[in-house]
Amino acid sequence: ERGAGDQGTLTCDPGTAPAGGADVTCAVTVVAKHIVLPASLNGTNASLVLDTGARGSLLPPGLATRAKLPPAPGVPPREFHGLDGRPLPARPVSVASLRLGGMEAGPATFFAGEVAALAALGLDADSGLLGNDVLGAWRRLEVAFAAGRIRLAR
């Protein structure tokens, strides 16, 4: 991680993701000091909060239903923990087409479970968390705060 601030650039470069595929660049907004990306899940519009501390990507069950996301075969359910420590059971769902800012970001597995923290941020029912399980498909993450843009590089 190098440089972070309202006007700077935050860069994470773990260097362990697989090579290949296209880079993704898109506009972001900041809501309550959280980076939010415009997304599409199988054609259903959504907002995803970038959460590099989350082990898994999480969607509210209603959003998973509206996007008609089928169960992810071979992936077991998981239990997440909210900021208050309460358990959050979640079922795996398949996203055949994940688009970030209009750019194809590939298929992905998300988990459908209650995400009470997003409502506390003032985000609507079409919002979820984009965690490290999905972000791990890219080698590098750059957030240009002043420009309001994010770049995911493979």
Side-chain angles (χ1 to χ4, degrees):
E1 181 175 315
R2 290 190 308 259
D6 291 335
Q7 301 302 316
T9 298
L10 171 67
T11 302
C12 299
D13 192 356
T16 59
D23 293 355
V24 172
T25 301
C26 70
V28 297
T29 57
V30 177
V31 176
K33 297 187 179 181
H34 291 80
I35 299 165
V36 180
L37 291 79
S40 169
L41 310 165
N42 290 359
T44 300
N45 290 334
S47 297
L48 297 176
V49 175
L50 181 68
D51 189 348
T52 59
R55 291 180 311 141
S57 297
L58 196 57
L59 303 171
L63 176 56
T65 299
R66 282 189 300 285
K68 298 180 174 119
L69 302 179
V75 180
R78 285 180 63 182
E79 185 174 87
F80 293 84
H81 289 85
L83 296 175
D84 59 2
R86 284 187 297 154
L88 304 169
R91 62 183 170 82
V93 293
S94 288
V95 179
S97 175
L98 171 64
R99 296 181 71 80
L100 300 174
M103 297 182 73
E104 189 62 41
T109 298
F110 278 72
F111 290 84
E114 295 301 327
V115 194
L118 296 179
L121 294 175
L123 296 168
D124 64 19
D126 289 332
S127 301
L129 292 176
L130 184 62
N132 280 323
D133 56 343
V134 174
L135 290 171
W138 288 277
R139 187 183 61 79
R140 185 179 178 88
L141 163 67
E142 299 172 351
V143 181
F145 290 96
R149 301 202 64 73
I150 188 170
R151 178 175 172 258
L152 299 167
R154 296 215 191 242

